[in-house]
Amino acid sequence: MNYMPGTASLIEDIDKKHLVLLRDGRTLIGFLRSIDQFANLVLHQTVERIHVGKKYGDIPRGIFVVRGENVVLLGEIDLEKESDTPLQQVSIEEI
Amino acid sequence: MATPSRKDSHGAGVYLPEANNALSPEETALEQVCQPEKIKCLQGSCLDQGSGKSHVPLALEEELVSASQLEEEELDPDLAPDMEEEEAEEEEENDLGDPAVQSAVHNSQVPRQEGVGLSRAVCVAQAVAPHLSSLHPSLERSSQLPWNHGPWCSGDAPCLLALSVADECLQSPCCEKKTGYREAVFGGSPFLTLHSALDLALGMQQSETLDHLAPLPFRPSLPSAGSAARHFGPQLPAPDPSLLCSPPTSWPLRLSLPSHLTQLHPQHQRILKQQQQQGRPRSPPAKKWPQQPDSYANLMTQKEKDWVVRVQMVQLQSENPRLDDYYYQEYYQKLEKKQADEELLGQRSRFESLKLVTPYIQKAEAYESVVRIEGSLGQVAVSTCFTPRRAIDAVPHGTQEQETAAASSQRLWVLYRIEKMFLQLLEIEDGQQDAPAQPRDSEQRSSRVEKLFQALKAQGQNNLEAADDGFLQALSVGKGKALVARLLPILPRDRAVSLLLAITRHLPFLVKRDVADQALQMLFQPLSKCIRHLTFRELLQGLQGLMRLPPGSSERPITMVLQNQFGISLLYALLSHGEQLVSLNSSLKEPSSDHSAWTDMVVLTAWEIAQMPTASLAEPLAFPSNLLPLFCHHVDKQLVQKLEARMEYVTVEIRS
């Protein structure tokens, strides 16, 4: 359902897995549950991903409410392609 | 979906068993047994009650009643999680659901209170209704029905929706049997239809969620004897699978809710696990969508989504979309044009591409910020919803503070001026487009143009600046150059000439300022057009500025001008025009002073050009053909040769 043709909207992204980059440099991955007109986001089952070189570590965080102005960018994660990445997951302690 | 065996039972007259088809095979046997009981129960409970109760819940209750005849322990947990899940999904109080659910777990035979069953039924309808509306496009219409549809539905919108939805189902040609059933069991049928719909769709999915959802309506509450009023005599037509097959893809997403991954009450979870261990037949999870059925889906209801969209639309409202949203309007026009062309060429499949149309929402009218009551002293504190308390008008009325002549504020001021002027220019251009030739308008237009011209020439904040400063400041900015370039064609001749002269007067300055942008080129076209209208006198004026030796410098401005592309192009254009004028006027009387000045100019220019190393001579944007002959007339052979060398180089470059 195209709500607003010719515009970009987060409505279609709801309930999908997203990667969100914040202004402070954090990378969050979670299911986008709710939005509002300021692009404040509610992320569910969020995981904070820390990258070091070719490795990354995930910290499970739970539910996030992100104020819209702090979002740099966000993009949908294709769940099938999520696993093919050259990066290697390691434990958080290691990171 | 509906197994063939079940179809036969359909003839039994009661729709209910149909819905039960979704149950796992091992339960079907039980169903068979229970069916006669069910039928009896239904018919037994069909008492026409008074008008007191709303029919919908009653009807639902009946189903629930009949379903509850299936006293199967195994089915309860299936139902319970669904119920619970459905309730959790809506904003029903969970506490209401839980006791019922729990009791379902513990003892399926416990006679449930009517109220509980009622709420649960309603809840189910609520849960199901939105899905159905999205399912069938024609069903969406039903959402527009007035909410106060009838006395029998106590304003319960989702129920109403469910009813109207089912109504549609019944009305659709796909429905096999349309009896007077509709009127009779209006309350009951929709829900049943709904469920068969669900079952069918789910059945197609071959997912075990089917098992969970299906028994849902039939689980629960035993109404007391005095309930129910529907006569289920005639058969409920089974909705045609094809009807509900239409958006099969949306179903899994929508109806994935009652899944085994739901947040379950721990007891339910345990029972479920037991069940699983018993080895219930499981279909392999349909890998249609990438993830497992999302249990948290649709936390944001459709209403909320619509609300957000609406707010965003309101923000997009504009009175002048061509001004505010120029690029989208242009894009859309091009798209439409392309489609129209395609259609003309015979492409049948013309699709209407959507255009963003903002709903016209009346903005809340401005409220009175200060309320004055006669007889009161001063302002009375009035509290509105926008401002809890607004005792004084805190709007500054004073003039802007005297800004310091700091560079940044100066620059900002210039930019601000340019923006304002652009708006004026756009207005003028729009006027030009819409109403080309109307005498009344042309006066208005020329006054606008004049206003704009004055704004362009206007001073900055300090009136100590030189006359042309405002203009020059505007020209220093790239956008200002664009403004002037667009303005020149519509200016009257004398105004345009004055601008041109100002430019030539300050050409070195402009050239210096333009090093970063290199945007002066855009002025060349309109200026060259303007040059053609110059009189000889004016031309001389312009050129003389370039020849003047500025105080404290041995270098003529022309030297720098020659090194800049725009400068040299302008110079050549001027010279060429001068030559034209001279050749035209040669037959007439020659104002000797002018003529000698002209000659001096030419000689000097030639000399300067010759002086410059070829490498540093800029390449002009246009090389007028009468320049060389011009120089030939006035200058000696040697010099001409030098000039030729330089200019030929240039002309070769241009030609290539």
Side-chain angles (χ1 to χ4, degrees), chain B residues 194-411:
Chain B
L194 276 176
H195 271 278
S196 69
L198 294 173
D199 298 336
L200 288 168
L202 288 175
M204 288 164 213
Q205 278 305 307
Q206 289 282 319
S207 137
E208 65 234 327
T209 61
L210 200 55
D211 301 322
H212 297 290
L213 185 59
L216 177 60
F218 311 107
R219 262 306 142 233
S221 47
L222 271 175
S224 53
S227 74
R230 288 301 156 206
H231 180 58
F232 282 98
Q235 309 166 15
L236 250 184
D240 197 22
S242 59
L243 164 68
L244 299 152
C245 219
S246 36
T249 48
S250 66
W251 275 103
L253 292 170
R254 298 281 180 189
L255 293 176
S256 59
L257 313 160
S259 79
H260 55 291
L261 294 180
T262 315
Q263 286 272 349
L264 301 175
H265 194 273
Q267 277 169 319
H268 299 171
Q269 229 164 11
R270 260 179 263 136
I271 289 163
L272 242 192
K273 275 198 199 120
Q274 283 169 16
Q275 248 185 319
Q276 287 169 12
Q277 280 154 21
Q278 281 166 20
R280 282 166 34 118
R282 275 173 167 259
S283 50
K287 268 290 180 182
K288 242 194 189 166
W289 56 103
Q291 76 259 25
Q292 298 290 332
D294 194 1
S295 51
Y296 287 91
N298 291 329
L299 268 173
M300 199 173 180
T301 63
Q302 190 59 37
K303 263 179 152 182
E304 288 166 0
K305 289 183 191 172
D306 289 339
W307 178 83
V308 172
V309 172
R310 191 167 177 268
V311 169
Q312 292 174 331
M313 292 282 221
V314 168
Q315 292 169 343
L316 289 179
Q317 273 184 319
S318 106
E319 262 132 52
N320 189 354
R322 273 193 75 86
L323 190 67
D324 296 331
D325 197 9
Y326 173 75
Y327 293 102
Y328 178 72
Q329 300 294 329
E330 279 301 301
Y331 165 75
Y332 191 74
Q333 270 190 2
K334 279 187 205 151
L335 200 63
E336 274 195 317
K337 191 167 166 293
K338 193 179 73 146
Q339 282 175 353
D341 291 342
E342 276 177 14
E343 206 188 12
L344 281 173
L345 289 171
Q347 247 195 17
R348 294 294 157 188
S349 58
R350 187 200 169 167
F351 56 97
E352 291 281 334
S353 59
L354 302 164
K355 181 168 190 178
L356 179 64
V357 179
T358 51
Y360 180 68
I361 297 168
Q362 194 88 29
K363 289 221 165 124
E365 35 178 76
Y367 63 100
E368 295 296 312
S369 64
V370 176
V371 174
R372 297 197 176 280
I373 298 177
E374 298 84 350
S376 69
L377 295 170
Q379 303 162 6
V380 180
V382 168
S383 172
T384 69
C385 61
F386 293 105
T387 54
R389 240 179 138 77
R390 193 174 173 147
I392 41 171
D393 259 311
V395 180
H397 292 295
T399 55
Q400 273 194 327
E401 326 77 43
Q402 294 300 315
E403 288 177 44
T404 59
S408 58
S409 70
Q410 188 73 306
R411 184 166 172 80

Side-chain angles (χ1 to χ4, degrees), chain B residues 524 568-569 572-573 576 609 617-629 631 643-644 646-655:
Chain B
F524 182 66
I568 201 174
S569 323
Y572 283 177
S576 155
I609 294 175
L617 258 185
E619 200 181 301
L621 293 163
F623 191 77
S625 50
N626 56 358
L627 269 187
L628 273 176
F631 288 130
L643 286 173
E644 255 177 9
R646 283 168 176 72
M647 285 181 177
E648 290 286 307
Y649 169 73
V650 163
T651 41
V652 162
E653 289 293 323
I654 290 177
R655 279 194 213 117

